[in-house]
Amino acid sequence: MAAAPSLFRNPLTRLDTYILRQILGALVAVTLALVALIWLTQSLRFVELIVNRGLSPFVFLRLTVLLVPSFVAVILPITMFVVVQFIYQRLSGDRELTVMRAAGLSPFALARPTLVLAAGVAVLCLWLNIWIVPASFTAFREYQFEIRNRIAAFLIQEGVFTTISNNLTVYVRKRDPSGDLHGIMVDDERNPANPATIIAQSGRIEPGRTGPQVILFNGARQEVDKKSGRLNLLTFSENTINLSSSASDDDQRFRDDSEVSLHDLLHPTPGELLPQDIPKWRAEAHRRLSEPFTVISYALVALASVLTGAFRRHGGFARPAIAVGITVGLVALGLSVGNLAARSSAFLPLVWIAAILPGVIAAWLMFRPERIRVPPMAETVTPPTGRAEV
C-alpha cells in the first residue's frame, strides 16, 4: 500500500519554490495594503487629538502603530484565501496549470507549496494572537490612559472650554508661560449625585498620584442639592481638584479581554471578573487558539475551488465565485459563533468546528482516493438467431 503523502518528506522542488515565491510575494503585498487601509480608517478617530487637543504627531503615530499587530492577525486568514485564489487562477489562465497537469502532477503536488506556506502563516498567526497582540493592546490602552488622565493638563488652552472627559470641563482665561492659571472655572459632573461648579482667581497644575491635579486659590464651589434644590456655596482659599476621568483618588484602568494573556483568560484572578464576563474571556481564549486553523481552512477552500472538478483549459468563474461566497459565509459564521460563545461557554466547541471543519471538507474533496471504477462488463456474443433444424 502506498504511503500517505507528506508535506515535508521530500524537499521542495523548483516548481514548488516557483509557486511558493509567487504566493508569498502576493501575500506580503496584499497584507501590507489592507493593513495600511485599515490603519488609515481606524486612525481617523485619533486625528481629533492633534487637531483639537494639540498633541504632537508622534503621539498620534505611536497610538495607531500599536494597533497594527491586531490588524495583521485579523486579516491574515482572508488575505491567505484571496492570494491563493488569485495566484492559482492566474496560473490556470496562463496555461501553467495545464502544463503541470500534463506533466503528471497530482492535486497534492500542486497544493503542497500553498500548504507549506499556510502552515507557516498559521504559526505566525498563533504567535501574534498569543503574545504580540495582547502586548500591543496593553501598551496601547496604557498609553491612551496616560494621555487622557496624565497629559490632560497640557490640553488646557487659554479662552477655550477644554473637555477633559465627558463629565469634566475646564476653562482658563489666561495661562502664564510659567504655568500659572488665571480666571479658572471647572464644571465637574463626575459625581452625578453632587455636580459642582468651581470658580477660582488663580491656580497651578501639578502632578498627582493618579494624574494631574489643579490647585485653586481664592475661589468658590457651588453645588445644587438635588433633593431640596438649594444652592450650596463654599468659599475657599485653597482647593485641589483631580483632573483624571474619575473623581475618586483610586482611579484605575480595568483590563479588556483583548489585552489579557492566554493564561489569565482561561484562569482569571478571583474577583477580577463578574460571573457574566467569564464566558466572554473564555471565548476570546479559544478564538486566539483556533484562528490559526482558520488560515489553513481558508487556503484549502481556495485550493479546492481551483484543483477540483472537471478540468477546463479556459477556466471559469463559477467555482471561484462559489468559493468567495463560501468564504464570506464562513467569516459571518465565525463572527456569529464567537458571539454565541461569548454568551455561553456551551457553544465553545462550535468555535473549533467553524475553524477546522471547512478545511477538512476541502481537503477531502481534493485528496480523497479516486473512486474505484467498475470495469466494463465483457460483451456477450449472441449467436445469430435462426431456426434450429430438427
Side-chain angles (χ1 to χ4, degrees), residues 80-251:
M80 192 68 194
F81 168 81
V82 172
V83 167
V84 172
Q85 184 76 37
F86 172 76
I87 293 299
Y88 276 83
Q89 287 293 336
R90 192 183 69 180
L91 292 175
S92 178
D94 294 341
R95 306 296 188 270
E96 294 182 67
L97 279 184
T98 305
V99 176
M100 297 176 191
R101 290 175 184 270
L105 293 180
S106 64
F108 177 79
L110 295 175
R112 186 168 69 161
T114 298
L115 297 178
V116 171
L117 181 59
V121 174
V123 173
L124 173 62
C125 187
L126 181 65
W127 179 60
L128 289 172
N129 286 339
I130 300 300
W131 290 285
I132 302 303
V133 173
S136 64
F137 261 124
T138 300
F140 168 79
R141 288 180 60 84
E142 287 180 352
Y143 194 50
Q144 188 180 41
F145 183 78
E146 179 184 357
I147 290 174
R148 290 179 176 177
N149 292 330
R150 303 190 183 277
I151 310 181
F154 302 99
L155 303 181
I156 299 177
Q157 303 177 18
E158 294 182 1
V160 176
F161 286 91
T162 303
T163 302
I164 304 299
S165 63
N166 294 333
N167 44 25
L168 181 64
T169 303
V170 178
Y171 174 84
V172 175
R173 177 173 53 83
K174 182 180 179 182
R175 183 170 185 170
D176 294 339
S178 60
D180 292 338
L181 309 177
H182 302 277
I184 306 169
M185 185 184 74
V186 179
D187 183 33
D188 187 359
E189 298 181 359
R190 290 173 293 182
N191 187 356
N194 296 306
T197 300
I198 302 99
I199 300 175
Q201 294 182 1
S202 61
R204 66 174 181 268
I205 297 177
E206 294 183 354
R209 186 174 63 88
T210 61
Q213 58 186 14
V214 56
I215 301 178
L216 305 176
F217 302 100
N218 302 324
R221 180 185 181 92
Q222 303 175 8
E223 294 183 3
V224 177
D225 191 341
K226 290 188 175 182
K227 295 182 179 180
S228 62
R230 295 178 55 185
L231 174 64
N232 298 325
L233 180 63
L234 174 65
T235 60
F236 58 84
S237 58
E238 181 177 337
N239 189 19
T240 300
I241 298 179
N242 188 3
L243 293 182
S244 64
S245 59
S246 174
S248 60
D249 292 335
D250 58 347
D251 185 32

Side-chain angles (χ1 to χ4, degrees), residues 37-49 60 64:
L37 179 61
I38 298 175
W39 175 83
L40 180 62
T41 56
Q42 292 295 316
S43 62
L44 293 178
R45 55 181 175 153
F46 300 106
V47 173
E48 186 262 345
L49 293 175
F60 165 80
T64 54

